[in-house]
Every structure is written in structure tokens, then in C-alpha cells.
Amino acid sequence: MVTNTPDVLTEEVADTAIGLLLCTAREFAQAERFVRSGKWLRKGYPLSKATLRNRTVGLVGMGRIGKAIARRLDAMGVPVAYHTRHKAADVSYRHYRNLVDLARAVDVLLVIVPGGAETQNLIDRDVLEALGPDGILINMARGSVVDEPALIKALQDKTILTAGLDVFAHEPEVPAELIAMEHVVLFPHLGSASIYTRTQMDQLVVDNLLAWAAGKPPLTPVPVMISGDR
Amino acid sequence: MVTNTPDVLTEEVADTAIGLLLCTAREFAQAERFVRSGKWLRKGYPLSKATLRNRTVGLVGMGRIGKAIARRLDAMGVPVAYHTRHKAADVSYRHYRNLVDLARAVDVLLVIVPGGAETQNLIDRDVLEALGPDGILINMARGSVVDEPALIKALQDKTILTAGLDVFAHEPEVPAELIAMEHVVLFPHLGSASIYTRTQMDQLVVDNLLAWAAGKPPLTPVPVMISGDR
């Protein structure tokens, strides 16, 4: 029997995704370092190259967390489209069966699919080229989902504008090429990492174990087949 | 005749406010510096002390931008209350006539009132004490609205937990006491500062001038009396 802690972390991860997206598009992390370095005394921080005000976000994945992110984008007036292998029955956003087609149609790709062999290097050179020179890549999934050398090259060559990454291929190792770039945003896998949410997740693990010990059905069993997120 | 550019900047400033709130509650700016310093190789970034998952946000001000911020918080499942002098007719959030009462009732105060004499030092020692040791202050208004020495003392004494500031009393001067604190978030007045939104604002200024030159009514005149935001 395998259990997990799905709903407890959904909204926390969606908060992190929106924060990472805003930090990346509007250069918040870079601007904050600018203040702390004292540079603001000499000149104003430049206007940000990007904004969410004229962008469409393409979600790669439309599971629980994807839907929670999309709900936030709706409230921000930011149009959403998405790629999954199978169209989701319960959302009305435009669906792209083909990921390159989605990348071509949007200005932001926000990746929130499960890791594993099926999604290994899903975001590759072709996808990044389709995203294009104004494009922003946000990875909230797993480091394995993005072809990291291809991403580094795309950033160096300005094939895309910038990226916000919560996860890395060999974390906690972060490639020096990424740290050398002032405009990318690098989070240390913050996903659900608040004391409050991790305590809730721990409690759910305990509750599952107690249910098991008492001969009761588990509270949050993992289905035998997982699909649908992609 | 005085004109302004109200709706063009509303959504951009609301984006910045949500980004600043997330950066502050979830320690995104600090965590990003942690990655860039190489510290992640030695240990994980600690779980954030705060989250939005168990908090109510008290908006100080409920004008256009306040409403755009509240709409985003609704989508995040974060309860909203607010303080204005007069109850807003078109929102159903709980209204507090008294700012100290609001500060006592919530975990976050997000300030988005106009500047000027009426709101000078509105956020003072009493308000910060009422906000309390888990409290977060976000200033998206003007530096003049917060009693900055009182805020610095409240942060040093842990009267409140932390603060996110987009504006400062004597900007671009930022008090060294604030820069010395790793957990506060300091933005260089980013409010509406994207190329896209500032270009839209410039265009609206031009359009107002062209209307005036053509003897037509202005597109976005400033009302003789401004009130309601507070």
C-alpha cells in the first residue's frame, strides 16, 4: 500500500509557482539584489523587459497543481493554454496535443508535470526554439523534465529571454553558467517548503499510518495507475 | 485640467504587490541569494517560517489597485479584510473602521493608500504592535505612509515578523538597518515599472494632450475631490 499527501501541498506549490513566475518576468530577485548592493543610490532600476500584462502562459501539465496555478492566472487576467497528452475534461483552456505548438503559441511555459522516464528532457532544444526570444521558461516540476544543457545554451544564445527554476538536474548542484546569469531566478526547490505545509504533510503521513495500524482504509492512497497530469 | 493614467497601471501594480507579498512570506529573495552564494551545496534552505496558507491579509486601502489585489488573493484562497475610512459599497470583505482593530485581526497588512498629509505615518508603532510577532507588513503605497524608524525598531525587536517594502521614506536611500536584515524584502519602487506598462502610460499622456489640443474632453481627467481609497 502506498499513500501520498496530494491536496495538502497543492496550494502551497501553486503559490511558489506564481511567485517564481512574477520574480522572473518582473526581475524581482535581481532588483532586490540591486537595492542591497547600494546601486539604487546611483541610478534607478531599469524598467523590466517583461511583464505578465501582455502574455499568455502555457502550462505543461494540468493536474491538481496546474489547475490551482491556472485559477490564480485567471484572477490576474493572464490567458492560459496547456499541453497534456489527453485533453482535461474539467477545464476550458485551449488544449495543445503537441508541446512545440503550445510553445510557439505562448510567451511563457510553466512546467508542472510529474518527473520520471515519461517526461525526461521533455523541454528540449526544439521546445525552447519554439518558445522564442521573448520566451520565459518556469520549471516547477523536476530537474529531469528540462534538458539542462539545452536550456543553458538557449539562455546564452538568447534563444529565449529568461528562466525561473525551482529544480535542477543534479540539485543541489546548480550549473555555474546559470549562477553567472543575473536575470535568471534560481530557487532551492522551495515547492511546498513552508513549516506550516510540511507539518500538514507530516501529519497526513502519521494519520495514514494510524489508519493502517487500526486496520482502516488509508486516507490518501496512491492509485495503481497515475496518469492525467500529462 | 489635470489628467492621470489610472487603469493602465492597476493590474501591473497588483502583480507587484502579490509578488512582494509572496517573496516576503515565503523568503524567495533570501532563498535566491542562498542558491547564488553556493550555500545550497552544504545544506538545504530552511522551511519558510511563514506561508499564506494560514493567513488573512488586511488591505489598508480599497481603491482600484486594492480591489485588483483582493481579486488575486481570492483566487489563492487567502481571506481578505480591509480598512478604509468609509466602507466600500462594491466589495463584501469585512471592513474595519479602525486600523488598529484590523491589524489585530490579521497576520498581514498590505498598504495601498494614496500618499500625502492624510496618510502620513499611518502605520505607526501602535499598528505594528497590534499586528504582532507573526505579522508581516507590505508597503506598496508611499514611503511616507509608514513611520520608518518605528518599523525598523519593530523589526529589530521582533514586534513583527518581517516586512516587504517597495517604497521608502527617503528613497532611493534605504536605511542601513533594513539592508542589514536578511529576511526583509526591499524593492526599488517597482510598482508599475515594466517597459510595457510605462509605455502604455506614456501613450495615455500623449492621447490626453492630443485630446486637449483638439479641443476635446480629456480621456482620464483627475476628479476635483479624490477620496474613497481611504
Side-chain angles (χ1 to χ4, degrees):
Chain A
M1 173 61 67
V2 181
T3 65
N4 61 5
T5 59
D7 291 327
V8 172
L9 57 78
T10 301
E11 299 295 324
E12 190 77 85
V13 179
D15 284 354
T16 307
I18 293 295
L20 180 54
L21 172 60
L22 283 164
C23 282
T24 308
R26 296 286 310 286
E27 306 171 20
F28 291 156
Q30 188 172 359
E32 219 268 343
R33 294 196 303 272
F34 182 87
V35 172
R36 286 179 177 275
S37 72
K39 287 181 189 162
W40 195 16
L41 290 168
R42 297 200 296 276
K43 57 174 181 181
Y45 187 81
L47 300 179
S48 68
K49 287 178 209 61
T51 175
L52 296 183
R53 295 297 102 223
N54 60 356
R55 282 177 185 257
T56 297
V57 170
L59 289 174
V60 182
M62 189 52 88
R64 282 188 185 84
I65 301 171
K67 285 175 191 128
I69 294 168
R71 179 164 28 87
R72 286 159 171 75
L73 292 169
D74 288 346
M76 297 164 78
V78 175
V80 170
Y82 72 105
H83 162 72
T84 51
R85 284 178 309 179
H86 307 288
K87 196 170 188 304
D90 52 352
V91 298
S92 57
Y93 309 112
R94 180 158 182 188
H95 176 251
Y96 287 80
R97 179 85 179 75
N98 184 292
L99 176 53
V100 169
D101 289 343
L102 175 68
R104 203 170 284 126
V106 300
D107 318 288
V108 179
L109 279 184
L110 195 161
V111 188
I112 185 70
V113 286
E118 275 186 40
T119 57
Q120 177 92 30
N121 290 340
L122 181 67
I123 306 298
D124 60 10
R125 193 181 65 177
D126 290 348
V127 172
L128 295 168
E129 279 177 6
L131 186 56
D134 288 325
I136 296 176
L137 176 73
I138 305 293
N139 188 4
M140 283 298 302
R142 287 289 177 267
S144 61
V145 178
V146 172
D147 178 342
E148 203 165 79
L151 172 62
I152 290 169
K153 186 157 183 356
L155 288 164
Q156 287 171 336
D157 296 350
K158 302 189 196 303
T159 305
I160 67 170
L161 179 67
T162 186
L165 307 171
D166 190 43
V167 288
F168 302 87
H170 307 287
E171 62 188 56
E173 282 174 44
V174 177
E177 295 92 334
L178 291 176
I179 291 181
M181 295 178 202
E182 280 289 316
H183 64 305
V184 303
V185 180
L186 310 168
F187 282 1
H189 203 145
L190 296 179
S192 63
S194 72
I195 289 174
Y196 172 82
T197 293
R198 289 293 173 83
T199 305
Q200 302 278 101
M201 288 163 71
D202 290 349
Q203 188 59 50
L204 192 49
V205 171
V206 170
D207 292 345
N208 269 304
L209 286 170
L210 289 176
W212 174 79
K216 293 178 191 164
L219 304 173
T220 52
V222 172
V224 174
M225 274 282 290
I226 301 186
S227 70
D229 265 15
R230 229 209 117 220
Chain B
M1 172 63 62
V2 180
T3 66
N4 62 6
T5 60
D7 291 326
V8 172
L9 58 77
T10 301
E11 299 294 324
E12 190 76 86
V13 178
D15 283 355
T16 308
I18 293 295
L20 180 54
L21 172 60
L22 283 164
C23 283
T24 307
R26 295 288 310 287
E27 306 172 20
F28 291 156
Q30 187 172 0
E32 219 267 343
R33 294 197 303 271
F34 181 88
V35 172
R36 287 180 176 274
S37 72
K39 288 182 189 161
W40 195 18
L41 290 168
R42 298 200 296 276
K43 56 173 182 180
Y45 186 82
L47 300 178
S48 68
K49 288 177 208 64
T51 174
L52 296 184
R53 295 297 103 221
N54 60 357
R55 283 177 184 258
T56 297
V57 170
L59 289 175
V60 182
M62 190 51 88
R64 280 187 187 86
I65 301 171
K67 284 174 192 130
I69 294 168
R71 178 162 32 85
R72 287 158 170 75
L73 292 169
D74 289 345
M76 297 165 79
V78 176
V80 170
Y82 72 105
H83 162 73
T84 51
R85 285 178 305 180
H86 306 288
K87 196 169 188 304
D90 51 353
V91 299
S92 57
Y93 309 111
R94 181 158 179 186
H95 175 252
Y96 286 81
R97 178 85 178 76
N98 183 292
L99 175 55
V100 169
D101 290 342
L102 175 69
R104 203 170 283 128
V106 299
D107 318 289
V108 178
L109 279 184
L110 196 162
V111 187
I112 185 72
V113 285
E118 277 186 40
T119 57
Q120 176 94 28
N121 290 339
L122 181 68
I123 306 297
D124 60 11
R125 193 181 65 176
D126 290 347
V127 172
L128 296 169
E129 280 178 4
L131 187 55
D134 289 324
I136 297 175
L137 177 73
I138 304 293
N139 189 4
M140 283 299 302
R142 286 289 177 270
S144 61
V145 178
V146 173
D147 179 342
E148 204 165 77
L151 172 62
I152 290 169
K153 185 153 183 359
L155 288 165
Q156 287 171 336
D157 295 350
K158 302 190 196 303
T159 304
I160 66 170
L161 179 66
T162 187
L165 307 171
D166 190 43
V167 287
F168 301 87
H170 307 288
E171 61 188 56
E173 283 174 44
V174 177
E177 295 91 332
L178 291 176
I179 291 179
M181 295 179 203
E182 280 288 317
H183 63 303
V184 303
V185 180
L186 310 168
F187 282 1
H189 204 147
L190 296 179
S192 63
S194 72
I195 290 173
Y196 173 81
T197 293
R198 288 292 173 82
T199 305
Q200 303 278 102
M201 287 163 73
D202 290 348
Q203 187 59 51
L204 193 49
V205 171
V206 170
D207 291 345
N208 268 305
L209 285 170
L210 290 176
W212 174 79
K216 293 178 191 164
L219 304 173
T220 52
V222 171
V224 175
M225 274 281 292
I226 300 186
S227 71
D229 264 14
R230 229 211 115 218

